[in-house]
Amino acid sequence: MREQTAKQDLIVSAECSSYVGRFAPSPTGPLHFGSLITAVASYCDAKVNQGKWLVRIEDTDIPRIFPNSETHILSCIDAFQFEPDAEIIFQKDRFEIYKQVLEQLKQSDAIYACQCTRKILGSNHIYAGTCRDLNLEFADQAIRLKVTDQQICFQDRLQGQLCSNLKYDLGDFVLKRRDGIISYQLAVVVDDYLQGITHVVRGADLLDNTVRQIWLGSLQNYPSLNYMHLPLAMNDQGQKLSKQNLAQALDINQAPKLLQQAILALGQSAIELDQPRIMLQQAVQQWDINRIPKGIHLNGVFL
């Protein structure tokens, strides 16, 4: 166990009187069955708590946007008859907002410019702070957020308490790339705050991002969030369903059947095939997070 530092550990305990959740897909490929599981869980959890459910398209990484994937996402929202409680926002339209937050972080000396390339960094995933004290000009450089020697813990509703010390587990991390692309970490924290998000329901593949986002949010005095990370659906090679692994796109013509499968994958009570809107209403009525399978991976194969 590392020695206790002068700074107190950051332990997040989010207690929210109201519920605002969100489904925030990235258009780096079409939605797949794993995406549907997240959409269903986030929707049901919001609605059973009399909360709001928002949709946000996380498309800051413009070079990686897959052709027509945004259209497919919106088509799926319609075909599965999800009903967002506010206008859908697109992060690529919000770069000026993120730049303003970067300026605030600059004024508080929380960030710095970094000239390290991937070649310089090599295979070491823990950044050693090489550029932290060089005082480089910010123009045309990557921008990193300073971290401290501090244990950060949060209580996940499914996965239990999880902790990380960013200094030893990751090091100072990038908020803006050298090519100008705003990082996922910055955009998601800012938009969760601006949209009033209180509860985050997403896949367990994003667990290692959570402490980074908690740290960034704490520096901006943003409210703490409530997290639930869902177990991941796998393909028949034992890989998580993902766009990188070429997971099959959702077939909107099979919406009721796929919706039924997603509800069962989440361990919920069976519902009969019907219009997706009716099926979702029944799923909300029966929603019980205690029935969601524990762990990081779902048992079985879902294609």
Side-chain angles (χ1 to χ4, degrees), residues 153-259:
C153 299
F154 69 98
Q155 186 72 26
D156 188 274
R157 292 166 65 198
L158 277 183
Q159 308 298 336
Q161 180 169 284
L162 298 164
C163 300
S164 177
N165 186 319
L166 288 171
K167 179 177 179 180
Y168 297 102
D169 296 337
L170 180 70
D172 301 337
F173 58 92
V174 173
L175 295 184
K176 181 183 177 184
R177 295 189 337 209
R178 185 190 303 270
D179 60 6
I181 297 297
I182 297 294
S183 80
Y184 164 75
Q185 310 298 344
L186 176 62
V188 72
V189 169
V190 172
D191 283 334
D192 279 347
Y193 170 68
L194 293 178
Q195 290 190 285
I197 301 300
T198 61
H199 290 67
V200 174
V201 177
R202 60 188 180 186
D205 53 330
L206 295 172
L207 263 172
D208 62 352
N209 291 293
T210 305
V211 169
R212 280 177 265 186
Q213 292 163 14
I214 289 172
W215 174 242
L216 175 55
S218 72
L219 294 178
Q220 291 293 95
N221 294 314
Y222 293 166
S224 298
L225 304 183
N226 187 304
Y227 291 95
M228 181 165 72
H229 287 83
L230 305 165
L232 305 173
M234 312 294 286
N235 64 19
D236 54 3
Q237 281 82 47
Q239 303 167 318
K240 68 164 185 165
L241 293 184
S242 69
K243 297 153 189 172
Q244 291 77 13
N245 292 328
L246 303 178
Q248 183 177 345
L250 290 174
D251 182 354
I252 61 175
N253 296 314
Q254 298 293 321
K257 179 180 177 181
L258 290 170
L259 186 57

Side-chain angles (χ1 to χ4, degrees), residues 8 15 44 55 65 144 186 268:
Q8 292 294 316
E15 295 182 3
C44 289
V55 174
I65 293 177
R144 288 185 181 269
L186 176 62
Q268 303 302 300

Side-chain angles (χ1 to χ4, degrees), residues 49-68:
N49 287 287
Q50 293 77 51
K52 296 181 179 179
W53 184 76
L54 311 183
V55 174
R56 180 173 71 226
I57 308 300
E58 298 191 334
D59 52 0
T60 58
D61 197 349
I62 294 175
R64 293 184 62 225
I65 293 177
F66 191 81
N68 300 317

